[in-house]
Amino acid sequence: MEEPTATLPLLDRRETNDPLPPSWPEPRFERFAHILVVTQPQGRPFVARRTWRHIAEDPGENLQLAFLDSGRSRLEQNGREVFLEQGDFTLIDSARPYDIETPTAFITRVFLFPKSALGLSETDLTRLTGTPLRQNHALSAFLVPFLTRLSHQGARLHPQTRDKLVGEVTDILTTLVGEALREMPSDDAARHTFVLRVKAFILAHLDRPDLTPELIATAHHVSLRYLHKVFAGEDTTVARFILRARLERCRLELAKYDPRDTSVRDMAYTWGFVSASHFSRVFREAYGMTPRQWQLAAKARR
């Protein structure tokens, strides 16, 4: 089986000033095993946006490790806003919408690789993407030299040496990410375990129209008040989590089937929506297009 490789994600990008003079270097693209390295030696200020519409046309199950060599940048993803300074880096999930703004000239390196390379769960990815990994983090001192060698010397290395370097970069990054997750502030282990158990229950019963906070509280032998209290630390509510999970499941399932084989109405009822019109409305609010438009866009790229 061929190993998955990363590709550039589809997005809208606009430079905020005049185009670069002809003498300024263009970005350099190099692929080393499953990693795509994009080096921008000098860049103009720009704004970029990747929306659900872009994701429908280009799913892009990749992660981007964006390393800022100079300049300043702002990233917004998963409802979080992060400001990066020289030497900082962050992870961007190409399967989720994001906005980037770089208000000054900059130098950057972006390392794109399949999400599967780090072996992270979607929950951990959501916690980590859109957060800064600062240059003063202890493990960044180990990672940066490997990234620099790969981006500056990778093309000149012997293939076996290069493959080994790619493996080392992946291993160190996996360790760095794990350390960053452990350092993130969290509630007590019991609360965290309970939330994970509730979320697993919700995901396993999305097809039930009667899946409500009351039913979930009863199934877990807790009060409705306690259920809402523990979810307050998740930056969402129980009802919003159910709705988002149903929309995500429908989004993925609609992309698999031809519109002639599976209707939007059938998909809505299959995953617990009691009204096809309500489903279409909340789907459009979440993804910027109707379920039918999403299905047609997915069919076009197959």
Side-chain angles (χ1 to χ4, degrees), residues 3-294:
E3 184 177 14
T5 57
T7 56
L8 283 175
L10 181 67
L11 48 73
D12 289 330
R13 172 175 168 143
R14 176 177 59 85
E15 290 186 344
T16 56
N17 285 327
D18 294 333
L20 290 173
S23 59
W24 283 36
E26 294 292 324
R28 187 174 72 250
F29 302 87
E30 297 175 293
R31 183 176 297 284
F32 307 116
H34 58 269
I35 298 179
L36 175 65
V37 181
V38 183
T39 304
Q40 174 69 68
Q42 191 76 47
R44 280 279 191 195
F46 74 94
V47 291
R49 169 169 289 184
R50 181 165 164 84
T51 67
W52 284 114
R53 186 176 296 276
H54 294 120
I55 295 167
E57 299 176 18
D58 169 34
E61 293 291 324
N62 302 317
L63 289 175
Q64 305 174 52
L65 176 66
F67 188 91
L68 194 62
D69 288 294
S70 74
R72 295 180 292 112
S73 187
R74 181 188 70 85
L75 167 71
E76 186 174 346
Q77 186 169 51
N78 292 327
R80 291 188 291 269
E81 186 178 51
V82 57
F83 294 87
L84 302 177
E85 302 287 344
Q86 179 176 333
D88 294 339
F89 50 102
T90 190
L91 279 175
I92 305 172
D93 185 353
S94 295
R96 294 279 174 178
Y98 58 84
D99 292 278
I100 299 176
E101 179 183 5
T102 302
T104 62
F106 66 96
I107 299 174
T108 187
R109 287 169 287 163
V110 181
F111 301 81
L112 297 97
F113 47 92
K115 293 169 71 171
S116 58
L118 295 188
L120 291 175
S121 68
E122 287 297 321
T123 299
D124 283 343
L125 278 175
T126 300
R127 290 177 61 203
L128 192 61
T129 51
T131 61
L133 299 170
R134 301 298 185 190
Q135 58 179 320
N136 57 3
H137 192 286
L139 281 172
S140 69
F142 293 96
L143 178 65
V144 172
F146 286 90
L147 294 176
T148 300
R149 189 180 182 199
L150 183 63
S151 59
H152 292 175
Q153 305 173 17
R156 300 194 299 271
L157 294 175
H158 186 279
Q160 289 184 338
T161 303
R162 186 166 59 236
D163 290 346
K164 182 179 179 181
L165 181 59
V166 168
E168 290 170 337
V169 166
T170 304
D171 290 344
I172 295 174
L173 181 58
T174 301
T175 303
L176 174 61
V177 164
E179 188 69 16
L181 285 168
R182 283 189 291 273
E183 290 179 354
M184 283 184 171
S186 60
D187 296 323
D188 61 276
R191 192 203 69 83
H192 182 63
T193 300
F194 177 74
V195 169
L196 290 178
R197 191 163 70 246
V198 169
K199 288 181 176 180
F201 179 87
I202 292 172
L203 294 176
H205 296 86
L206 290 176
D207 57 336
R208 292 185 57 170
D210 63 342
L211 183 64
T212 62
E214 290 81 4
L215 183 145
I216 295 167
T218 300
H220 289 83
H221 309 289
V222 298
S223 69
L224 183 60
R225 180 180 178 182
Y226 178 77
L227 178 65
H228 287 311
K229 180 180 178 180
V230 295
F231 258 77
E234 298 296 300
D235 294 325
T236 189
T237 65
V238 180
R240 287 198 194 106
F241 182 83
I242 295 171
L243 176 61
R244 172 58 67 180
R246 280 178 169 151
L247 287 172
E248 280 288 281
R249 186 65 59 87
C250 290
R251 180 178 72 87
L252 295 174
E253 291 296 313
L254 282 169
K256 294 179 182 179
Y257 299 103
D258 190 283
R260 294 171 297 184
D261 299 328
T262 301
S263 71
V264 170
R265 178 183 295 272
D266 289 342
M267 188 63 67
Y269 292 151
T270 296
W271 293 108
F273 288 95
V274 297
S275 164
S277 60
H278 171 69
F279 167 61
S280 295
R281 179 175 61 79
V282 294
F283 191 99
R284 182 163 190 163
E285 289 175 355
Y287 304 119
M289 65 181 76
T290 67
R292 173 74 172 177
Q293 290 169 334
W294 177 276

